[in-house]
Amino acid sequence: MTPQDSDQKAQQILNAARKVLAQQGYAATTIKQVAAEAGVSRGLLHYYFENKEDMLARVVEASGEATIKLVQMLFEQSQSADDLASGLTGALRNIELVAPDLFPLFFESWSVSRQSPTVAHELKLLFQQSRQAFHDALEEAAARGMIAPAVPLEGLAALLMGILDGLALQRITEPEIADNDAIWTATEAAIRELLSGKK
């Protein structure tokens, strides 16, 4: 097996693990199910991943990379605070179209992290890297004159993540809030005010 084949096989298993974990949750997921979804033997799966905990940790790591790419894309596509507020709110409101597994896996990993130092470490890195990605993107947007926040960027990055994560949890537990225009209008307005420094 070449290094490229090995990388592809690892990615194939990781994709299967993400799908099964997002659909069934950590407790109900088995190595056998992931191997079947990936179309590989359990032995080959264990060659790449030590156990179920290790699989979840690697999925969290990959989810962090996906989150950072999504943040960067939204900032790159925006030309104003209005664009950015609309983009962030729209992405969250329609998260099943943008990254359907992202938040279910995120909240699943938070629960597991309370008993797993391995998963806790990856989740901590995810938060740190995501906040840094937000901070860097905000800094660049401010330098371009696209936004003019009245609060420190480090705090603003954490606050924006808190808004998005909190709404994501509500969105997962109550999918019907995606249709509640009042929630998303208020969210977009609040984010716009934070970004522009204006009421």
Side-chain angles (χ1 to χ4, degrees):
M1 184 180 293
T2 68
Q4 183 177 2
D5 290 339
S6 180
D7 289 345
Q8 289 175 346
K9 191 62 70 174
Q11 188 60 51
Q12 180 180 332
I13 296 170
L14 192 63
N15 290 341
R18 180 184 295 108
K19 181 178 179 181
V20 176
L21 285 163
Q23 289 177 344
Q24 299 187 179
Y26 182 79
T29 294
T30 66
I31 294 292
K32 182 178 179 181
Q33 290 170 330
V34 175
E37 179 67 32
V40 302
S41 69
R42 292 177 64 178
L44 183 60
L45 188 148
H46 280 297
Y47 173 79
Y48 291 101
F49 301 98
E50 184 178 341
N51 50 34
K52 190 168 71 167
E53 183 180 343
D54 183 39
M55 275 195 308
L56 179 59
R58 299 290 70 79
V59 167
V60 170
E61 180 182 20
S63 295
E65 294 169 2
T67 300
I68 290 170
K69 287 180 181 177
L70 180 59
V71 168
Q72 291 170 337
M73 181 190 73
L74 289 169
F75 273 85
E76 288 169 3
Q77 292 177 348
S78 300
Q79 300 299 318
S80 66
D82 287 350
D83 289 347
L84 189 52
S86 176
L88 289 169
T89 305
L92 183 58
R93 186 175 188 176
N94 300 292
I95 193 65
E96 70 277 358
L97 302 177
V98 181
D101 297 337
L102 183 61
F103 284 109
L105 286 168
F106 167 69
F107 291 115
E108 187 75 25
S109 64
W110 179 83
S111 178
V112 176
S113 73
R114 301 181 72 195
Q115 286 81 39
S116 167
T118 301
V119 176
H121 174 72
E122 288 299 334
L123 196 57
K124 180 179 179 179
L125 287 178
L126 184 150
F127 273 122
Q128 291 173 340
Q129 292 168 354
S130 297
R131 273 198 312 272
Q132 189 62 51
F134 257 105
H135 177 274
D136 293 347
L138 288 165
E139 191 171 56
E140 184 179 345
R144 287 165 38 202
M146 189 177 91
I147 62 172
V151 295
L153 296 185
E154 184 177 359
L156 179 56
L159 181 56
L160 287 173
M161 281 185 59
I163 291 171
L164 298 175
D165 289 345
L167 279 169
L169 178 57
Q170 295 178 61
R171 181 78 175 71
I172 291 169
T173 53
E174 297 180 76
E176 60 272 18
I177 73 167
D179 299 321
N180 188 331
D181 290 337
I183 290 174
W184 304 103
T185 299
T187 300
E188 185 174 336
I191 293 175
R192 185 184 303 112
E193 287 183 20
L194 286 168
L195 294 171
S196 66
K198 300 175 183 176
K199 292 187 177 181

